[in-house]
Amino acid sequence: MIHKRMPPLLALMTLAGLIGCSGVEVSQDYKKDADFSGISSFAWATDAQEKTGDVRADSPLLHDRIRNAVEKSLKSMGLSPANRSAADVLVEYKLQIRQKIRSDNVRGGVGFGYGSYGRVGGIAIGTGADVQSYDEGLLVIDLIRTDSRALLWRGNATFPMPDHATPEKTTAQIQEAVEKTLAQFPPALEESKK
């Protein structure tokens, strides 16, 4: 009986480990006194994405993935696409690719010993054995009130960006970052009253 249950349990533990290690971190900011209840439609603030000067972030393929993921997520939340003038909110986003460095923690140790001529002691301090640089994506999604052009809500996602990802992996990573970011919208009522 135990052997029959082990594979599903092992699969569940593996899935939980993969979900917990996705590397996507999100946060949000918004106007505390804003009313989010009447928002039912959206439109893009501009037709074309502003260039950043970074060839990696200015990829039209990447921009298409981000726009498709944002539209899919907003539609799944019940918002409908609309003309710019009729939409409740306008959507903008910015993508930045930053180089980051990670390393192991500093380690140290103290050692004492006895030799033939008396006590001998030593102190050793070493740095982490592994220092790596990697690219991190910062995706910022803004929802702006159409009538006042005031920023209503901002969601941020950071995630590692591999140098040589397949199109499928890139699409899945962008979708995850967008979904987790927009899952924070609208802010919970309890949270917006704090």
Side-chain angles (χ1 to χ4, degrees):
M1 194 85 168
I2 292 176
H3 295 290
K4 289 182 181 179
R5 289 188 183 186
M6 282 305 273
L9 180 60
L10 185 59
L12 184 61
M13 289 172 49
T14 303
L15 180 62
L18 290 173
I19 291 171
C21 297
S22 71
V24 176
E25 294 184 25
V26 296
S27 62
Q28 67 175 331
D29 195 9
Y30 53 90
K31 292 183 120 183
K32 290 286 190 182
D33 58 348
D35 179 15
F36 296 96
S37 61
I39 298 172
S40 62
S41 60
F42 72 94
W44 288 101
T46 59
D47 291 329
Q49 189 60 28
E50 184 180 328
K51 299 286 184 189
T52 66
D54 183 343
V55 69
R56 301 166 302 167
D58 290 338
S59 166
L61 299 172
L62 199 52
H63 290 304
D64 287 345
R65 288 182 179 103
I66 294 169
R67 283 188 176 239
N68 289 337
V70 167
E71 289 176 7
K72 181 180 174 184
S73 291
L74 290 175
K75 287 177 186 177
S76 73
M77 296 163 55
L79 276 71
S80 304
N83 292 328
R84 260 184 219 125
S85 58
D88 296 320
V89 291
L90 299 175
V91 182
E92 287 184 342
Y93 79 88
K94 291 184 176 39
L95 176 66
Q96 203 177 64
I97 300 175
R98 312 176 294 186
Q99 190 172 51
K100 296 288 205 170
I101 296 176
R102 71 175 146 242
S103 67
D104 292 339
N105 292 330
V106 175
R107 287 171 269 199
V110 177
F112 292 99
Y114 292 96
S116 59
Y117 296 107
R119 283 194 288 210
V120 177
I123 298 174
I125 299 176
T127 61
D130 191 21
V131 176
Q132 296 177 336
S133 67
Y134 66 98
D135 288 333
E136 177 184 78
L138 168 63
L139 178 64
V140 178
I141 301 173
D142 290 339
L143 299 182
I144 301 161
R145 279 280 185 203
T146 305
D147 51 2
S148 65
R149 298 289 176 158
L151 179 62
L152 178 67
W153 180 88
R154 172 171 283 178
N156 301 305
T158 57
F159 49 94
M161 294 193 70
D163 290 333
H164 304 285
T166 63
E168 295 80 14
K169 184 173 181 177
T170 302
T171 300
Q173 186 178 43
I174 292 298
Q175 186 67 44
E176 180 186 8
V178 168
E179 283 176 2
K180 284 186 173 182
T181 302
L182 290 174
Q184 303 171 102
F185 181 82
L189 292 176
E190 304 80 40
E191 200 175 306
S192 61
K193 291 177 183 175
K194 290 181 184 175

